Coordinates of all heavy atoms in Angstrom, one line a residue:
M1 N 0.8 -1.2 0.0 CA 0.0 0.0 0.0 C 0.9 1.3 0.0 O 0.8 2.1 0.9 CB -0.9 0.0 1.2 CG -2.0 -1.0 1.1 SD -3.3 -0.7 2.4 CE -4.4 -2.0 2.1
A2 N 1.7 1.3 -1.0 CA 2.6 2.5 -1.1 C 1.8 3.8 -1.2 O 2.3 4.8 -0.7 CB 3.5 2.3 -2.3
D3 N 0.7 3.8 -1.9 CA -0.1 5.0 -2.0 C -0.5 5.5 -0.6 O -0.6 6.7 -0.4 CB -1.4 4.7 -2.9 CG -1.0 4.4 -4.3 OD1 0.1 4.8 -4.7 OD2 -1.9 3.9 -5.0
V4 N -0.9 4.6 0.3 CA -1.3 5.0 1.7 C -0.1 5.7 2.3 O -0.2 6.7 2.9 CB -1.8 3.8 2.5 CG1 -2.0 4.1 3.9 CG2 -3.0 3.2 1.9
T5 N 1.1 5.1 2.2 CA 2.3 5.6 2.9 C 2.6 7.0 2.3 O 2.8 8.0 3.1 CB 3.5 4.7 2.6 OG1 3.2 3.4 3.2 CG2 4.7 5.3 3.2
Q6 N 2.5 7.1 1.0 CA 2.8 8.4 0.4 C 1.8 9.5 0.8 O 2.2 10.6 1.1 CB 2.9 8.3 -1.1 CG 3.3 9.6 -1.8 CD 4.6 10.2 -1.3 OE1 5.6 9.5 -0.9 NE2 4.8 11.5 -1.3
R7 N 0.6 9.1 0.8 CA -0.5 10.1 1.1 C -0.4 10.6 2.5 O -0.6 11.7 2.9 CB -1.9 9.6 0.7 CG -3.0 10.6 0.9 CD -2.8 11.7 -0.1 NE -3.7 12.8 0.2 CZ -3.4 14.0 0.6 NH1 -2.1 14.3 0.8 NH2 -4.3 14.9 0.9
I8 N -0.1 9.6 3.4 CA 0.0 10.0 4.9 C 1.3 10.9 5.1 O 1.2 11.8 5.8 CB 0.1 8.7 5.8 CG1 -1.4 8.1 5.8 CG2 0.5 9.1 7.2 CD1 -1.5 6.8 6.5
R9 N 2.3 10.5 4.4 CA 3.5 11.4 4.4 C 3.2 12.8 4.0 O 3.7 13.8 4.5 CB 4.7 10.8 3.6 CG 5.2 9.6 4.3 CD 6.3 8.9 3.4 NE 7.5 9.7 3.5 CZ 8.5 9.7 2.6 NH1 8.4 8.8 1.6 NH2 9.5 10.4 2.7
E10 N 2.4 12.9 2.9 CA 2.0 14.3 2.4 C 1.1 15.0 3.5 O 1.3 16.2 3.7 CB 1.2 14.1 1.1 CG 2.0 13.7 0.0 CD 1.2 13.2 -1.2 OE1 0.0 13.3 -1.2 OE2 1.9 12.8 -2.2
I11 N 0.2 14.3 4.1 CA -0.7 14.9 5.1 C 0.2 15.4 6.3 O 0.0 16.5 6.8 CB -1.8 13.9 5.6 CG1 -2.8 13.7 4.4 CG2 -2.5 14.4 6.8 CD1 -3.7 12.6 4.6
I12 N 1.1 14.5 6.8 CA 1.9 14.9 7.9 C 2.9 16.0 7.5 O 3.1 16.9 8.3 CB 2.7 13.6 8.4 CG1 1.8 12.5 8.9 CG2 3.7 14.0 9.5 CD1 1.0 12.8 10.1
A13 N 3.4 16.0 6.3 CA 4.3 17.0 5.9 C 3.6 18.4 5.9 O 4.2 19.4 6.2 CB 4.8 16.7 4.5
E14 N 2.3 18.4 5.5 CA 1.6 19.7 5.4 C 1.5 20.2 6.9 O 1.6 21.4 7.1 CB 0.2 19.4 4.9 CG -0.6 20.7 4.7 CD -2.0 20.4 4.0 OE1 -2.1 19.5 3.3 OE2 -2.9 21.2 4.3
Q15 N 1.2 19.4 7.8 CA 1.1 19.8 9.2 C 2.5 20.2 9.8 O 2.5 21.1 10.6 CB 0.5 18.8 10.1 CG -1.0 18.5 9.8 CD -1.9 19.7 9.8 OE1 -1.8 20.5 10.7 NE2 -2.7 19.9 8.8
A16 N 3.5 19.6 9.4 CA 4.9 19.9 9.9 C 5.6 21.0 9.1 O 6.7 21.3 9.4 CB 5.7 18.6 9.8
L17 N 4.9 21.5 8.1 CA 5.5 22.5 7.2 C 6.8 22.0 6.6 O 7.8 22.7 6.6 CB 5.7 23.8 7.9 CG 4.4 24.4 8.5 CD1 4.7 25.6 9.4 CD2 3.3 24.7 7.5
R18 N 6.8 20.8 6.1 CA 8.0 20.2 5.4 C 7.6 19.6 4.1 O 6.4 19.5 3.8 CB 8.5 19.1 6.4 CG 9.0 19.6 7.7 CD 9.5 18.5 8.5 NE 9.9 19.0 9.9 CZ 10.9 18.5 10.5 NH1 11.7 17.6 10.0 NH2 11.2 19.0 11.7
Q19 N 8.5 19.1 3.4 CA 8.3 18.3 2.2 C 8.0 16.9 2.5 O 8.6 16.3 3.5 CB 9.5 18.5 1.2 CG 9.7 19.9 0.7 CD 8.5 20.4 0.0 OE1 7.9 19.7 -0.9 NE2 8.1 21.6 0.3
P20 N 7.2 16.2 1.8 CA 6.9 14.8 2.1 C 8.1 13.9 2.1 O 8.2 13.0 3.0 CB 5.9 14.3 0.9 CG 5.3 15.6 0.5 CD 6.3 16.7 0.7
D21 N 9.1 14.2 1.3 CA 10.3 13.3 1.3 C 11.2 13.6 2.6 O 12.1 12.8 2.8 CB 11.1 13.5 0.0 CG 11.7 14.9 -0.2 OD1 11.2 15.8 0.5 OD2 12.5 15.1 -1.0
E22 N 10.8 14.6 3.4 CA 11.5 14.8 4.6 C 10.9 14.0 5.8 O 11.4 14.1 6.9 CB 11.5 16.3 5.0 CG 12.2 17.2 4.0 CD 12.1 18.6 4.4 OE1 11.1 19.3 4.0 OE2 13.0 19.2 5.1
I23 N 9.8 13.4 5.5 CA 9.0 12.7 6.6 C 9.5 11.2 6.6 O 9.1 10.4 5.8 CB 7.5 12.8 6.3 CG1 7.1 14.3 6.2 CG2 6.7 12.1 7.5 CD1 7.4 15.2 7.4
A24 N 10.3 10.9 7.6 CA 10.7 9.5 7.8 C 9.7 8.7 8.5 O 8.9 9.2 9.3 CB 12.0 9.5 8.6
L25 N 9.5 7.4 8.1 CA 8.5 6.6 8.7 C 8.8 6.3 10.2 O 7.8 6.1 11.0 CB 8.4 5.3 8.0 CG 7.9 5.4 6.6 CD1 7.9 4.0 5.9 CD2 6.5 6.0 6.5
D26 N 10.0 6.5 10.7 CA 10.3 6.3 12.1 C 10.2 7.5 12.9 O 10.4 7.5 14.1 CB 11.6 5.6 12.3 CG 12.8 6.4 11.8 OD1 12.6 7.4 11.1 OD2 14.0 6.1 12.1
A27 N 9.8 8.6 12.3 CA 9.7 9.9 13.0 C 8.5 10.0 13.8 O 7.4 9.6 13.4 CB 9.7 11.1 12.0
G28 N 8.6 10.5 15.0 CA 7.4 10.8 15.9 C 6.8 12.1 15.5 O 7.5 13.0 15.0
L29 N 5.6 12.3 15.7 CA 4.9 13.6 15.4 C 5.5 14.7 16.2 O 5.7 15.8 15.6 CB 3.4 13.5 15.6 CG 2.7 12.4 14.8 CD1 1.2 12.5 15.0 CD2 3.0 12.6 13.3
G30 N 5.8 14.5 17.4 CA 6.5 15.6 18.2 C 7.8 16.0 17.6 O 8.2 17.2 17.6
D31 N 8.6 15.0 17.2 CA 9.9 15.3 16.5 C 9.7 16.1 15.3 O 10.7 16.9 14.9 CB 10.6 14.0 16.2 CG 10.8 13.1 17.3 OD1 11.0 13.6 18.5 OD2 10.9 11.8 17.1
L32 N 8.6 16.1 14.7 CA 8.3 16.8 13.4 C 7.7 18.2 13.8 O 7.4 19.0 12.9 CB 7.4 16.0 12.5 CG 8.0 14.7 12.0 CD1 6.9 13.9 11.3 CD2 9.1 15.0 11.1
G33 N 7.5 18.5 15.0 CA 6.9 19.7 15.4 C 5.4 19.8 15.4 O 4.8 20.9 15.3
I34 N 4.8 18.7 15.3 CA 3.3 18.7 15.2 C 2.7 18.6 16.6 O 3.0 17.7 17.4 CB 2.8 17.4 14.4 CG1 3.4 17.6 13.0 CG2 1.3 17.3 14.4 CD1 3.0 16.4 12.1
D35 N 1.9 19.7 16.9 CA 1.3 19.8 18.2 C -0.1 19.1 18.2 O -0.5 18.5 17.2 CB 1.2 21.2 18.6 CG 0.4 22.1 17.7 OD1 -0.3 21.5 16.8 OD2 0.4 23.3 17.9
S36 N -0.8 19.2 19.3 CA -2.1 18.6 19.4 C -3.1 19.1 18.3 O -3.9 18.3 17.8 CB -2.7 18.7 20.8 OG -2.9 20.1 21.1
L37 N -3.1 20.3 18.0 CA -4.0 20.9 17.0 C -3.6 20.3 15.6 O -4.5 19.9 14.8 CB -4.0 22.4 16.9 CG -4.8 23.0 15.9 CD1 -6.3 22.7 16.0 CD2 -4.7 24.5 15.9
G38 N -2.3 20.2 15.3 CA -1.8 19.6 14.1 C -2.2 18.2 14.0 O -2.6 17.7 12.9
L39 N -2.2 17.5 15.1 CA -2.6 16.1 15.1 C -4.0 15.9 14.8 O -4.4 15.1 13.9 CB -2.3 15.4 16.5 CG -2.9 14.0 16.7 CD1 -2.3 13.0 15.7 CD2 -2.6 13.6 18.2
V40 N -4.9 16.7 15.4 CA -6.3 16.7 15.1 C -6.6 17.0 13.6 O -7.4 16.3 12.9 CB -7.1 17.6 16.0 CG1 -8.6 17.7 15.6 CG2 -7.0 17.1 17.4
E41 N -5.9 18.0 13.1 CA -6.1 18.3 11.6 C -5.6 17.2 10.7 O -6.2 16.9 9.7 CB -5.4 19.6 11.3 CG -6.0 20.8 12.0 CD -5.4 22.2 11.6 OE1 -4.4 22.2 10.8 OE2 -5.8 23.2 12.2
A42 N -4.5 16.6 11.1 CA -4.0 15.4 10.4 C -5.0 14.3 10.4 O -5.3 13.6 9.4 CB -2.6 15.0 10.9
I43 N -5.6 14.0 11.6 CA -6.6 13.0 11.7 C -7.8 13.2 10.8 O -8.3 12.4 10.1 CB -7.0 12.8 13.1 CG1 -5.9 12.2 14.0 CG2 -8.3 11.9 13.2 CD1 -6.1 12.2 15.4
F44 N -8.3 14.5 10.8 CA -9.4 14.8 9.9 C -9.0 14.6 8.4 O -9.8 14.1 7.7 CB -9.8 16.3 10.1 CG -10.6 16.5 11.4 CD1 -10.5 17.7 12.0 CD2 -11.4 15.6 11.9 CE1 -11.2 18.0 13.2 CE2 -12.1 15.8 13.1 CZ -12.0 17.0 13.8
A45 N -7.8 15.0 8.0 CA -7.4 14.8 6.7 C -7.3 13.3 6.3 O -7.7 12.9 5.2 CB -6.0 15.5 6.4
I46 N -6.8 12.5 7.2 CA -6.6 11.1 7.0 C -8.0 10.5 6.9 O -8.3 9.7 5.9 CB -5.8 10.4 8.1 CG1 -4.4 10.8 8.0 CG2 -6.0 8.9 8.1 CD1 -3.5 10.4 9.2
E47 N -8.9 10.8 7.7 CA -10.3 10.3 7.7 C -11.0 10.6 6.3 O -11.6 9.8 5.7 CB -11.1 10.8 8.8 CG -10.8 10.2 10.2 CD -11.6 10.8 11.3 OE1 -12.0 11.9 11.3 OE2 -11.8 10.0 12.3
E48 N -10.8 11.9 5.9 CA -11.4 12.3 4.7 C -10.8 11.6 3.5 O -11.4 11.2 2.5 CB -11.3 13.8 4.5 CG -12.0 14.4 3.3 CD -11.9 15.9 3.3 OE1 -12.3 16.5 4.3 OE2 -11.5 16.5 2.3
T49 N -9.4 11.6 3.5 CA -8.7 11.0 2.3 C -9.0 9.5 2.1 O -9.2 9.1 1.0 CB -7.2 11.1 2.6 OG1 -6.9 12.5 2.6 CG2 -6.4 10.5 1.4
F50 N -9.1 8.7 3.2 CA -9.3 7.3 3.1 C -10.7 6.8 3.4 O -10.9 5.6 3.4 CB -8.2 6.6 4.0 CG -6.8 6.9 3.6 CD1 -6.0 7.8 4.4 CD2 -6.3 6.3 2.5 CE1 -4.7 8.0 4.0 CE2 -5.0 6.6 2.1 CZ -4.2 7.5 2.9
N51 N -11.6 7.7 3.7 CA -13.0 7.4 4.1 C -13.0 6.4 5.2 O -13.7 5.3 5.1 CB -13.7 6.9 2.8 CG -15.2 6.8 3.1 OD1 -15.8 7.6 3.8 ND2 -15.9 5.9 2.4
I52 N -12.3 6.7 6.3 CA -12.3 5.8 7.5 C -12.6 6.7 8.7 O -12.5 7.9 8.6 CB -10.9 5.1 7.6 CG1 -9.8 6.2 7.7 CG2 -10.7 4.1 6.5 CD1 -8.4 5.6 8.1
A53 N -12.8 6.1 9.8 CA -13.0 6.8 11.1 C -11.8 6.3 12.0 O -11.7 5.2 12.3 CB -14.3 6.4 11.7
V54 N -11.0 7.3 12.3 CA -9.9 7.0 13.2 C -10.4 7.1 14.6 O -11.0 8.1 15.1 CB -8.7 8.1 13.0 CG1 -7.6 7.9 14.0 CG2 -8.2 8.0 11.6
P55 N -10.1 6.0 15.4 CA -10.6 6.0 16.8 C -9.7 6.9 17.7 O -8.7 6.5 18.1 CB -10.5 4.5 17.2 CG -9.4 4.0 16.3 CD -9.5 4.8 15.0
F56 N -10.2 8.2 17.8 CA -9.4 9.2 18.5 C -10.4 10.1 19.2 O -11.3 10.6 18.6 CB -8.5 9.9 17.6 CG -7.8 11.1 18.2 CD1 -6.6 10.8 19.0 CD2 -8.2 12.4 18.1 CE1 -5.9 11.8 19.6 CE2 -7.5 13.4 18.7 CZ -6.3 13.2 19.4
N57 N -10.1 10.3 20.5 CA -10.9 11.3 21.3 C -9.9 12.4 21.7 O -9.0 12.2 22.5 CB -11.5 10.6 22.5 CG -12.4 11.6 23.3 OD1 -12.2 12.8 23.2 ND2 -13.2 11.0 24.1
A58 N -10.2 13.6 21.1 CA -9.3 14.7 21.4 C -9.2 15.1 22.9 O -8.3 15.7 23.4 CB -9.7 15.9 20.6
N59 N -10.3 14.7 23.6 CA -10.3 15.0 25.1 C -9.5 14.0 25.9 O -9.2 14.2 27.0 CB -11.8 15.0 25.6 CG -12.5 16.1 24.9 OD1 -12.0 17.2 24.7 ND2 -13.8 15.9 24.6
E60 N -9.2 12.9 25.3 CA -8.4 11.8 25.9 C -7.4 11.3 24.9 O -7.4 10.1 24.5 CB -9.3 10.7 26.4 CG -10.3 11.1 27.4 CD -11.2 10.0 27.9 OE1 -10.8 8.8 27.9 OE2 -12.4 10.3 28.2
P61 N -6.4 12.1 24.5 CA -5.5 11.7 23.4 C -4.6 10.4 23.8 O -4.2 9.8 22.9 CB -4.6 12.9 23.2 CG -4.8 13.7 24.4 CD -6.1 13.4 25.0
G62 N -4.4 10.1 25.0 CA -3.6 9.0 25.3 C -4.3 7.7 25.4 O -3.8 6.7 25.8
K63 N -5.6 7.7 25.2 CA -6.5 6.5 25.4 C -7.0 6.0 24.1 O -8.1 5.5 24.1 CB -7.6 6.9 26.4 CG -7.0 7.3 27.8 CD -8.1 7.4 28.8 CE -7.5 7.8 30.1 NZ -8.5 7.8 31.2
S64 N -6.3 6.1 23.1 CA -6.8 5.6 21.8 C -6.1 4.2 21.5 O -4.9 4.1 21.8 CB -6.4 6.6 20.7 OG -6.8 6.1 19.4
D65 N -6.8 3.3 20.8 CA -6.2 2.1 20.3 C -5.3 2.4 19.0 O -4.6 1.5 18.6 CB -7.2 1.1 20.0 CG -7.9 0.6 21.3 OD1 -7.3 0.6 22.4 OD2 -9.0 0.1 21.2
F66 N -5.5 3.5 18.4 CA -4.8 3.9 17.2 C -3.4 4.3 17.6 O -3.2 5.1 18.5 CB -5.5 5.1 16.6 CG -5.1 5.3 15.1 CD1 -5.8 4.7 14.1 CD2 -4.1 6.2 14.8 CE1 -5.5 5.0 12.8 CE2 -3.8 6.5 13.5 CZ -4.4 5.9 12.5
D67 N -2.4 3.8 17.0 CA -1.0 4.0 17.3 C -0.4 5.2 16.6 O -0.3 5.3 15.4 CB -0.1 2.8 16.9 CG 1.3 2.9 17.4 OD1 1.7 3.9 18.0 OD2 2.0 1.9 17.2
F68 N -0.2 6.3 17.4 CA 0.4 7.5 16.9 C 1.8 7.7 17.2 O 2.4 8.8 17.1 CB -0.4 8.7 17.5 CG -1.8 8.9 17.1 CD1 -2.8 8.4 17.9 CD2 -2.2 9.4 15.9 CE1 -4.2 8.5 17.6 CE2 -3.5 9.5 15.5 CZ -4.5 9.1 16.3
S69 N 2.5 6.6 17.6 CA 3.9 6.7 18.0 C 4.9 7.1 17.0 O 5.9 7.7 17.3 CB 4.3 5.4 18.7 OG 4.3 4.3 17.7
S70 N 4.6 6.9 15.7 CA 5.5 7.3 14.6 C 4.6 7.3 13.3 O 3.5 6.9 13.3 CB 6.6 6.3 14.4 OG 6.1 5.0 13.9
V71 N 5.2 7.9 12.3 CA 4.5 8.0 11.0 C 4.3 6.6 10.5 O 3.2 6.3 10.0 CB 5.4 8.8 10.0 CG1 4.7 8.8 8.6 CG2 5.6 10.3 10.5
G72 N 5.2 5.7 10.6 CA 5.0 4.3 10.2 C 3.9 3.6 10.9 O 3.2 2.9 10.3
A73 N 3.8 3.9 12.2 CA 2.7 3.3 13.0 C 1.4 3.8 12.5 O 0.4 3.0 12.4 CB 2.9 3.6 14.5
I74 N 1.3 5.1 12.2 CA 0.1 5.6 11.6 C -0.3 5.0 10.3 O -1.4 4.6 10.1 CB 0.2 7.2 11.5 CG1 0.3 7.8 12.9 CG2 -1.0 7.7 10.7 CD1 0.7 9.3 12.8
V75 N 0.7 4.8 9.5 CA 0.5 4.1 8.2 C -0.1 2.7 8.4 O -1.1 2.3 7.8 CB 1.8 4.0 7.3 CG1 1.6 3.1 6.1 CG2 2.2 5.4 6.9
R76 N 0.5 1.9 9.3 CA 0.1 0.6 9.6 C -1.4 0.6 10.1 O -2.2 -0.2 9.8 CB 1.0 -0.1 10.5 CG 2.3 -0.5 9.8 CD 3.2 -1.4 10.7 NE 3.6 -0.7 12.0 CZ 4.7 0.2 12.0 NH1 5.4 0.5 10.9 NH2 5.0 0.8 13.2
A77 N -1.6 1.5 11.0 CA -3.0 1.6 11.6 C -4.0 2.0 10.5 O -5.1 1.4 10.5 CB -3.0 2.6 12.8
V78 N -3.7 2.9 9.7 CA -4.6 3.3 8.6 C -4.8 2.1 7.7 O -6.0 1.8 7.2 CB -4.1 4.5 7.8 CG1 -4.9 4.8 6.6 CG2 -4.2 5.8 8.7
E79 N -3.8 1.4 7.3 CA -3.9 0.2 6.4 C -4.8 -0.8 7.1 O -5.6 -1.4 6.4 CB -2.5 -0.4 6.1 CG -1.7 0.5 5.2 CD -0.3 0.0 5.0 OE1 0.2 -0.8 5.9 OE2 0.4 0.4 4.0
G80 N -4.7 -1.0 8.4 CA -5.6 -1.9 9.1 C -7.0 -1.4 9.1 O -8.0 -2.3 8.9
L81 N -7.3 -0.1 9.2 CA -8.7 0.4 9.1 C -9.2 0.2 7.7 O -10.4 -0.1 7.6 CB -8.7 1.8 9.6 CG -8.5 2.1 11.1 CD1 -8.4 3.6 11.3 CD2 -9.6 1.5 11.9
I82 N -8.4 0.4 6.7 CA -8.9 0.3 5.3 C -9.2 -1.2 5.1 O -10.2 -1.5 4.5 CB -7.8 0.8 4.4 CG1 -7.6 2.3 4.5 CG2 -8.1 0.4 2.9 CD1 -6.4 2.9 3.7
A83 N -8.3 -2.1 5.5 CA -8.6 -3.5 5.4 C -9.9 -4.0 6.1 O -10.7 -4.8 5.5 CB -7.4 -4.3 5.8
A84 N -10.1 -3.4 7.3 CA -11.3 -3.8 8.0 C -12.5 -3.3 7.4 O -13.6 -4.0 7.3 CB -11.2 -3.2 9.5
R85 N -12.5 -2.1 6.8 CA -13.6 -1.6 6.1 C -13.9 -2.4 4.8 O -15.1 -2.6 4.5 CB -13.3 -0.1 5.6 CG -14.5 0.6 4.9 CD -14.1 1.9 4.3 NE -13.3 1.5 3.1 CZ -12.3 2.3 2.7 NH1 -12.0 3.4 3.3 NH2 -11.6 1.9 1.7
A86 N -12.9 -2.9 4.2 CA -13.1 -3.7 3.0 C -13.6 -5.1 3.2 O -14.2 -5.7 2.4 CB -11.8 -3.8 2.2
A87 N -13.4 -5.6 4.5 CA -13.8 -7.0 4.8 C -15.3 -7.1 5.0 O -16.0 -6.2 5.2 CB -13.1 -7.4 6.1

């Protein structure tokens, strides 16, 4: 699902004010300078782009089953949500 990876890198890059090729899969969102508002905006963009619902509660950011630990973790979680939707 290279398209998923590239599109998520583009979404994260937009929030981090960087180029997509500067977004490493092992980078954490905090390392990229993305704050909580940027995270919420990225989640909305991911949901809209892939027509999925990301399990995230902005009032309880640490209590989500969705892994936000790195860009690669986000890619894997989105791929899982896409696969679940298709099943």
Side-chain angles (χ1 to χ4, degrees):
M1 290 192 179
D3 292 340
V4 172
T5 300
Q6 183 58 30
R7 188 62 189 114
I8 289 175
R9 288 176 73 201
E10 291 167 0
I11 290 168
I12 298 297
E14 184 175 333
Q15 294 304 316
L17 303 174
R18 299 178 185 218
Q19 295 299 315
D21 62 345
E22 296 178 276
I23 306 301
L25 293 179
D26 63 347
L29 299 183
D31 299 333
L32 296 170
I34 297 176
D35 61 11
S36 59
L37 179 59
L39 172 61
V40 171
E41 290 181 8
I43 290 169
F44 286 148
I46 288 168
E47 288 179 329
E48 185 175 309
T49 299
F50 298 104
N51 193 30
I52 58 173
V54 173
F56 176 77
N57 182 338
N59 295 323
E60 298 180 31
K63 297 187 178 187
S64 176
D65 291 335
F66 195 91
D67 187 357
F68 293 101
S69 63
S70 69
V71 175
I74 294 170
V75 169
R76 288 186 296 278
V78 168
E79 290 172 341
L81 290 173
I82 292 169
R85 183 192 68 213

